[in-house]
Amino acid sequence: MKLRPRLRVQQSRSAFAEGNSRWTNLDLDPVPYHLRKWGPVSFISYWISDAFNAATWQFASSMMAVGLGWRDSLIIVAVSFFIISFVIAGNGAVGAIYHIPFPVISRASWGFWGSYIAIVSRVILALFWFAIQNVNGGNAVRAMLGAIWPSFLTLENDIPEDEGITTTGMVSYLIFWLVQLPFLCIHPSKLRWLFMVKSTLVPIAWIAIFIWAFVAESGGGLLQQTATVSGSKYSWLFLANMTSVLGNYATLSVNQSDFSRYSRVSAKWQLLYIPMLPVVFTFLSFIGIVASSAGHARYGGDTIPWDPIELISHWSSRACRFFGAFSFALASLGVNISANSISAANDLAALAPGYVNLRRGQLICGLLSWCLVPWKILSSAGNFLNFMSAYAIFLGPIAGIMLFDFWVLKDRKYDTLALYQRENPTYQYGRWSVNWRAVVAFIVGVVPNLPGLINSVNAKIAVGVGVHPYQFGWLLGFVATSVVYVALSMAFPARASLVDTAVMAEDIYDAREGDSGSAHDQEKNRMGEKVKL
């Protein structure tokens, strides 16, 4: 019993935690002025860093592997990111205005206990994707070790073939995981430098590969490939692959506030994502197609090297193999933190704020990733796309509820203090602190996708046409949930949650006394900032 107090994390001394330690800690509190260090360059670096990863490289190539042409694949990527960029910008603006993370924001629409539905849904999916990025990073480390120590690649394999990984793969996975571990201990407010480094080094390597593809083989022959399917099969395949792309960044459609809360600039900067994301991600997918095409033309073989690490392994220069693989290892490291470990950490902190802060949450995420055997998920292009689709059907509805709650129903007005006080009636939504409107809307958005999800997990279970809603699961879930949530909220309004005047974190910080409050005021005066809705 004496050890238990030592397990508790530091509780905030701000007014937000007074009598409410069950719902917050220092990391969940609104970000004070002196920690708001992210400006436009930081956010641009963040997204460039996030875009450069193996999954982006494989977007279009995975689609071509299942029967679509390269133009179709790029159109899907462009349209998907154009759609989701609005959601990312809209939900990211909430964090930039109120400087609070996703778990706290979700209380405004779900209620305090109801928010656990959204939090648990996101933390499970963030853990899965964190584990998958570990596999991508491990594969890159394997190529790096093979370039330095060629005999490493021929080590005897003691792992059964049906496990989807070899001994060298497992060793590489462990090495990447260990290298990543120290970065999980860094507070998000201090991660700007990592994204800036990645957004400088990785693009140089990828553009060099792009140039090589055209110089070596004039882009290869895949640029002449057209779709091998037509009619209704083509249409459903088009929608299924769009869902896969949306699913890959479905987490960031809800968790952008986990980073935008550190913004020192206006929320209008979040609009930058709308033109930027479709252009950047489509170009990177095109690099993947061209490089894989050139690799197939030069090195031959029965299969096309859609996996960039497989392509790199054919290069004769050991130095090129090492640095090429290093770029993908760095890419996996950066995206794993920006899109997954921070998300999981915020959610775990919200579930147990007395014992989990961001550092502990990220470490827990790292440990749990071993339990998910992610190497099996990535064993084929089909499995990769199935996982992405499954990933999307839960977060589409959550993103829709968040977006329309803030911009339509609440008219951009939240009471920040009430989001930390369950006894405050504003976001109680009844005796059980669950907003039944959000729960009903969430069920409406998810249930139609369940037959298709079951079929994707076990193809022996026939569901007939029930598979089709799942093929455009993110769009269906987002639209259906948003419509039902807005309709129910207007028909049965939760009047207590509609505040006349927004209560900002600054209002609470300015009103409180103490050393931290004085520091806050001094920082505000030094920066000369004003928060505007």
Side-chain angles (χ1 to χ4, degrees):
M1 294 298 294
K2 293 182 179 179
L3 294 177
R4 187 174 180 182
R6 297 181 182 179
L7 296 177
R8 296 187 66 87
V9 300
Q10 181 183 5
Q11 294 295 319
S12 171
R13 291 185 297 161
S14 78
F16 296 93
E18 292 178 0
N20 296 280
S21 60
R22 175 62 188 82
W23 298 102
T24 191
N25 59 33
L26 191 61
D27 285 336
L28 292 177
D29 276 354
V31 178
Y33 276 100
H34 69 279
L35 291 179
R36 298 176 192 174
K37 300 179 180 180
W38 287 53
V41 174
S42 300
F43 285 110
I44 292 173
S45 298
Y46 167 88
W47 272 106
I48 292 177
S49 168
D50 211 65
F52 280 84
N53 68 87
T56 307
W57 178 290
Q58 293 174 306
F59 276 155
S61 57
S62 295
M63 297 176 206
M64 295 177 69
V66 295
L68 293 175
W70 71 274
R71 289 185 179 87
D72 308 306
S73 301
L74 292 182
I75 290 173
I76 289 173
V77 173
V79 172
S80 298
F81 276 98
F82 180 72
I83 292 172
I84 206 167
S85 65
F86 283 92
V87 186
I88 291 173
N91 284 331
V94 185
I97 294 171
Y98 289 90
H99 304 283
I100 53 180
F102 160 78
V104 176
I105 294 173
S106 63
R107 296 169 189 169
S109 51
W110 291 83
F112 277 74
W113 290 114
S115 67
Y116 279 21
I117 297 174
I119 292 170
V120 171
S121 297
R122 190 184 75 158
V123 72
I124 292 174
L125 298 173
L127 288 172
F128 264 103
W129 193 237
F130 179 89
I132 284 180
Q133 285 293 350
N134 281 347
V135 175
N136 290 332
N139 291 338
V141 170
R142 182 176 181 272
M144 292 169 63
L145 292 175
I148 299 173
W149 177 27
S151 59
F152 173 77
L153 301 177
T154 60
L155 291 178
E156 183 180 354
N157 179 39
D158 297 322
I159 300 177
E161 185 177 349
D162 60 359
E163 289 299 316
I165 195 170
T166 63
T167 298
T168 57
M170 184 61 75
V171 170
S172 302
Y173 183 97
L174 174 61
I175 292 173
F176 179 80
W177 186 85
L178 290 173
V179 170
Q180 182 178 239
L181 204 57
F183 292 93
L184 302 182
C185 299
I186 302 176
H187 195 274
S189 64
K190 301 177 181 178
L191 283 172
R192 294 174 302 148
W193 65 268
L194 172 62
F195 300 133
M196 289 180 181
V197 170
K198 179 187 169 184
S199 63
T200 301
L201 297 181
V202 178
I204 292 174
W206 283 32
I207 291 174
I209 295 174
F210 184 61
I211 295 172
W212 165 84
F214 275 103
V215 172
E217 295 294 337
S218 300
L222 290 182
L223 297 183
Q224 283 73 49
Q225 179 176 322
T226 58
T228 58
V229 296
S230 59
S232 61
K233 186 176 181 180
Y234 171 87
S235 300
W236 288 116
L237 195 60
F238 189 99
L239 289 172
N241 283 279
M242 180 179 290
T243 297
S244 298
V245 176
L246 291 168
N248 189 56
Y249 278 82
T251 298
L252 286 164
S253 70
V254 298
N255 80 344
Q256 184 60 25
S257 57
D258 291 341
F259 287 91
S260 64
R261 64 189 294 227
Y262 298 102
S263 174
R264 67 171 188 265
V265 295
S266 168
K268 293 179 180 179
W269 277 99
Q270 300 294 306
L271 295 174
L272 176 68
Y273 305 151
I274 296 173
M276 183 177 72
L277 299 190
V279 172
V280 171
F281 280 88
T282 304
F283 175 64
L284 297 184
S285 295
F286 183 60
I287 291 179
I289 293 175
V290 172
S292 299
S293 177
H296 183 253
R298 166 157 290 207
Y299 304 113
D302 297 329
T303 60
I304 298 171
W306 298 122
D307 185 346
I309 303 302
E310 181 185 350
L311 171 64
I312 289 171
S313 67
H314 288 289
W315 293 349
S316 58
S317 170
R318 291 169 61 181
C320 288
R321 290 206 308 271
F322 178 85
F323 288 109
F326 173 78
S327 73
F328 282 95
L330 180 58
S332 296
L333 172 64
V335 76
N336 225 9
I337 293 174
S338 66
N340 304 308
S341 69
I342 296 297
S343 301
N346 274 287
D347 293 337
L348 292 170
L351 295 175
Y355 297 93
V356 181
N357 55 16
L358 290 183
R359 176 179 296 177
R360 290 184 184 180
Q362 290 194 85
L363 293 175
I364 292 172
C365 174
L367 292 173
L368 291 178
S369 64
W370 283 91
C371 305
L372 304 177
V373 290
W375 40 85
K376 288 191 174 183
I377 298 176
L378 292 176
S379 60
S380 72
N383 284 345
F384 179 77
L385 294 174
N386 285 339
F387 175 77
M388 289 297 95
S389 296
Y391 191 87
I393 65 171
F394 299 100
L395 292 190
I398 295 173
I401 290 173
M402 289 179 58
L403 188 70
F404 283 89
D405 183 80
F406 179 74
W407 293 99
V408 177
L409 298 175
K410 302 297 197 308
D411 192 27
R412 301 180 296 168
K413 298 174 184 176
Y414 281 167
D415 184 337
T416 307
L417 184 59
L419 289 172
Y420 291 86
Q421 297 179 333
R422 183 174 178 267
E423 68 277 7
N424 191 307
T426 305
Y427 301 114
Q428 276 197 22
Y429 294 105
R431 178 180 178 183
W432 302 106
S433 195
V434 176
N435 186 0
W436 63 269
R437 304 159 191 81
V439 175
V440 171
F442 180 75
I443 293 173
V444 169
V446 170
V447 168
N449 294 301
L450 294 182
L453 175 61
I454 294 171
N455 177 259
S456 72
V457 174
N458 187 351
K460 295 180 180 179
I461 302 177
V463 296
V465 296
V467 72
H468 291 323
Y470 176 71
Q471 290 176 317
F472 60 105
W474 190 92
L475 288 171
L476 175 62
F478 179 85
V479 174
T481 296
S482 300
V483 171
V484 172
Y485 180 64
V486 171
L488 289 176
S489 298
M490 289 184 172
F492 307 96
R495 301 191 187 282
S497 66
L498 306 176
V499 298
D500 296 327
T501 304
V503 178
M504 314 299 294
E506 288 70 23
D507 300 331
I508 311 304
Y509 280 127
D510 290 345
R512 75 176 235 253
E513 299 177 357
D515 295 337
S516 59
S518 299
H520 166 79
D521 291 337
Q522 292 172 8
E523 185 68 15
K524 184 181 72 171
N525 293 332
R526 185 182 68 80
M527 297 177 67
E529 291 188 352
K530 294 182 179 180
V531 178
K532 299 181 179 179
L533 283 177

